[in-house]
Structure formats: C-alpha cells, structure tokens
Amino acid sequence: MDPVSMGLLTALAGGAGGELGRQAWTGLGELVRRPFRRGGAVVPEGSAPEGSGEAELAGLARDPGDAAAARALSVVLHRRAAADAEFEERLRRWDEAARRISLTGGDVHNSISGGTFSAPVIQGRDFTGTTFGTSPADG
C-alpha cells in the first residue's frame, strides 16, 4: 500500500472537510488504536514494530500544519500496514473514503436577480436525497 498522503492527513487534522472530515479523522484515530495483529494473533501492547501510530496521530492533532508530524504519521501507518494485513485492508478502505471528501472551502454564494419566478427556488450546496419535480401529493 502506498503511504497515506501527508496533505490529506494535515488537511483532516486541521479540520478540513467539515463534518465528513471530522468523521474521517476520528475514524483514523479508531483505526490506529486497534490492537496490532500479526498472523491473526494480537501482539502485546508496546511491541508493535515502529509503534502503533498513536503518538504520531496525537502530534499531528496538536499541530496540523507540521509537515514533519504528517510525514511521521504517514510513515508509521505505512510500516504498520506492511506488518499487519488486517490493518492494511482497513487503512486502504479508510484512505479511499477520505480521498473522496472535498477538502476545499465550503463557502456558498448564491444569488438570484432580475426576473419573476413562479416556482420554488432552492439554493445551497451538496444536496442529497432531494427529489425535484414531484408534488407532496405524489409522495
């Protein structure tokens, strides 16, 4: 598995991505705190090669702009994934999901001008589960 992007780690640690970003960062913390496994057996605490990543995760959380902390976390995640197949699979799934989160600013600037509108106008960003073209009676 390729190392987790340092840019992704620093963005999520810094609060990018809104609620989804916060959930992704929390999910990474939960993944890192899982017991280290080798060949199906749980390795005693403190004996995981190169550590679990908890210290590096905490370091980046304290200073999200610290490139060295992001690099350290990325390296330890990569090493742990190389030694723990279950962790590698879970990290790969986490990474794929986290990369789909929009980390850019979420500012929305909507405006309507000039004209008369005879139907509802909906403004916003990132609509999900919204149906257009049906009346409440069609429900």
Side-chain angles (χ1 to χ4, degrees), residues 19-107:
E19 178 61 21
L20 290 177
R22 187 192 65 71
Q23 289 175 12
W25 183 253
T26 299
L28 180 60
E30 291 169 358
L31 178 61
V32 164
R33 286 186 288 280
R34 291 181 60 81
F36 183 81
R37 297 180 183 277
R38 177 171 279 145
V42 175
V43 175
E45 190 171 328
S47 62
E50 305 296 327
S52 67
E54 287 186 68
E56 293 80 3
L57 185 77
L60 185 56
R62 280 190 303 275
D63 187 0
D66 184 351
R71 187 176 313 102
L73 178 57
S74 179
V75 166
V76 78
L77 292 174
H78 182 70
R79 285 183 182 156
R80 185 170 171 187
D84 181 344
E86 181 182 342
F87 182 84
E88 178 183 25
E89 176 60 24
R90 289 175 183 267
L91 181 62
R92 183 191 59 74
R93 284 185 292 181
W94 176 88
D95 188 52
E96 288 173 0
R99 288 177 189 268
R100 290 192 298 265
I101 298 171
S102 174
L103 301 176
T104 59
D107 294 346

Side-chain angles (χ1 to χ4, degrees), residues 5-16 25 60 63-71:
S5 161
M6 292 179 353
L8 176 64
L9 294 172
T10 57
L12 293 174
W25 183 253
L60 185 56
D63 187 0
D66 184 351
R71 187 176 313 102

